[in-house]
Amino acid sequence: MKKTSTRLADGRELIYYDLRDDVVRDAVDRRPLERTVTTSEVRRDPLLGDAVAIASHRQGRTYHPPADECPLCPSQGERLSEIPDSSYDVVVFENRFPSLAGDSGRCEVVCFTSDHNASFADLTEEQARLVLEAWTDRTSELSHLPSVEQVFCFENRGAEIGVTLGHPHGQIYAYPFTTPRTALMLRSVAAHKEATGGENLFDAVLERELAEERVVLESEHWVAFVPYAAHWPYEVHLYPKRRVPDLLGLDEEARTEFPKVYLELLRRFDRIFDSGQEEGAGESATPYIAAWHQAPFGALEEFEGVSRDDFALHLELFTIRRTSGKLKFLAGSESGMNVFINDIRPEAAAQRLREVASS
């Protein structure tokens, strides 16, 4: 992997990640851009104890542009985009309309491929490995920023999810706090550790799932399963079998095996509703969110007896589609009380994901 860092016309950082070491990245951003001005701030909710990012400048962000005006495609001639060069393998750059900025953290965009009509599932294993290396590198770099406490790499795919740019891409949020979801996990880990005399909760969960009928895929170094209390109609958690706190902790064997396992999982997701067994069969391109959960880099004093090494890196992949042509909406119980109601038994979801072929 070759890494080349440069600056866009408005001062934002852009980084090329290339498969070949002999690639030269010296294209200049020729757009007449002014410096980006953001109004991002983080406010604490005194009752819930969580944080809300206020980012009113995002109202003006790019919204469903036509394909020939996509800002994530390479620049071609006088058609200028966020990527100055005429081609790329993987690119990461600071978001022009960030939810978090300055003392409130940082937001980046990750372009998985220059092919506008592709998806992550279309990547080769070599390309997927390069994306993994980019995620890992950005996690390392962002963790050293004084305002950053947790790094979150994720992908939103599909208009149903709320994606405003169709080009295959993901994002990285570098938060100035430990996110509420992670805090809940850490509190559960702390309570379990105390109650069992030191047992790790993530290890216990993984051991239980490996013995159950909800395993979807298993390899030498990874396992994917539908969790016992899945919140979403089709939800899969992907864990390395050796517990590590973050992407930096993965060994070479796990890194090498990841692309094959993850691509297989994504391709199966695209075939959940495409078997001819349901009304409306033929629907593909399943909308999903893929989210890496990593240990915070900040102090964990509030979680008594827990260290970063007690956390387990894992990816959570889920779709809001519950059946062909029907979405799972977060209505009264979910949005009002945060109590999810799942219409599909996790065991049935796992069976469906086992039986669909990826190609």
Side-chain angles (χ1 to χ4, degrees):
M1 180 190 78
K2 180 180 180 181
K3 175 183 175 182
T4 306
S5 180
T6 184
R7 292 282 171 180
L8 296 173
D10 56 7
R12 288 175 294 130
E13 185 178 18
L14 180 142
I15 306 161
Y16 294 97
Y17 293 90
D18 286 295
L19 292 168
R20 290 171 32 218
D21 291 335
D22 61 345
V23 176
V24 177
R25 298 295 186 186
D26 56 6
V28 176
D29 186 3
R30 295 181 285 124
R31 297 173 298 170
L33 298 180
E34 296 182 356
R35 287 272 174 176
T36 301
V37 177
T38 63
T39 56
S40 178
E41 63 174 306
V42 174
R43 298 184 180 182
R44 290 279 178 178
D45 186 316
L47 295 179
L48 298 179
D50 59 8
V52 177
I54 310 296
S56 57
H57 62 276
R58 284 173 52 80
Q59 285 283 37
R61 66 187 184 273
T62 308
Y63 186 80
H64 293 300
D68 61 356
E69 296 179 17
C70 176
L72 306 185
C73 289
S75 293
Q76 298 287 343
E78 296 306 310
R79 180 181 171 280
L80 306 178
S81 72
E82 289 280 63
I83 296 90
D85 215 325
S86 59
S87 67
Y88 64 84
D89 291 333
V90 173
V91 166
V92 178
F93 60 87
E94 288 184 74
N95 198 319
R96 189 176 179 185
F97 304 97
S99 300
L100 306 165
D103 293 339
S104 296
R106 175 159 157 154
C107 292
E108 299 182 340
V109 177
V110 184
C111 298
F112 303 139
T113 171
S114 60
D115 185 352
H116 180 84
N117 297 312
S119 69
F120 200 116
D122 295 323
L123 301 182
T124 65
E125 291 184 21
E126 185 181 36
Q127 290 172 310
R129 171 64 185 261
L130 184 61
V131 176
L132 176 63
E133 296 307 320
W135 282 332
T136 305
D137 180 70
R138 297 316 300 153
T139 295
S140 176
E141 293 291 326
L142 292 170
S143 71
H144 290 95
L145 296 180
S147 63
V148 172
E149 190 166 310
Q150 186 172 1
V151 179
F152 176 47
C153 306
F154 65 100
E155 180 192 1
N156 297 329
R157 205 276 287 270
E160 299 94 329
I161 296 294
V163 174
T164 58
L165 296 175
H167 196 103
H169 73 288
Q171 299 181 66
I172 302 175
Y173 277 22
Y175 298 101
F177 51 80
T178 296
T179 61
R181 186 88 182 275
T182 303
L184 282 174
M185 293 183 193
L186 290 169
R187 282 195 284 271
S188 295
V189 168
H192 185 84
K193 191 173 186 178
E194 181 178 7
T196 59
E199 183 182 62
N200 182 274
L201 178 58
F202 284 107
D203 291 349
V205 167
L206 193 56
E207 181 180 359
R208 173 186 177 179
E209 292 293 354
L210 281 166
E212 296 289 344
E213 58 180 309
R214 291 178 297 276
V215 172
V216 176
L217 289 172
E218 184 178 358
S219 64
E220 183 178 356
H221 301 286
W222 295 87
V223 60
F225 58 87
V226 177
Y228 170 74
H231 289 59
W232 299 94
Y234 290 92
E235 174 182 344
V236 176
H237 293 188
L238 177 63
Y239 277 70
K241 289 185 176 178
R242 183 179 69 87
R243 172 164 46 90
V244 295
D246 51 43
L247 289 165
L248 283 72
L250 291 175
D251 58 26
E252 182 59 28
E253 289 79 10
R255 291 182 181 280
T256 299
E257 198 176 70
F258 170 78
K260 182 177 181 179
V261 174
Y262 188 47
L263 290 172
E264 169 72 14
L265 195 56
L266 291 180
R267 290 163 186 168
R268 290 193 184 199
F269 247 62
D270 268 347
R271 295 185 62 85
I272 295 172
F273 308 104
D274 192 28
S275 69
Q277 297 179 4
E278 299 187 51
E279 180 183 353
E283 190 172 19
S284 60
T286 302
Y288 64 73
I289 293 175
W292 280 109
H293 291 260
Q294 306 191 79
F297 288 93
L300 301 179
E301 285 88 353
E302 64 177 294
F303 311 104
E304 189 172 351
V306 172
S307 70
R308 292 192 77 250
D309 290 337
D310 289 315
F311 194 86
L313 166 77
H314 63 284
L315 182 141
E316 297 185 8
L317 172 69
F318 63 89
T319 179
I320 63 171
R321 185 180 290 165
R322 57 187 176 87
T323 188
S324 293
K326 297 178 182 178
L327 302 181
K328 166 64 179 177
F329 292 102
L330 300 189
S333 185
E334 292 88 354
S335 295
M337 284 290 139
N338 201 29
V339 178
F340 276 68
I341 301 170
N342 195 345
D343 300 310
I344 298 178
R345 294 186 74 249
E347 292 75 17
Q351 180 178 350
R352 177 71 184 137
L353 284 162
R354 284 194 300 268
E355 69 187 14
V356 294
S358 65
S359 60

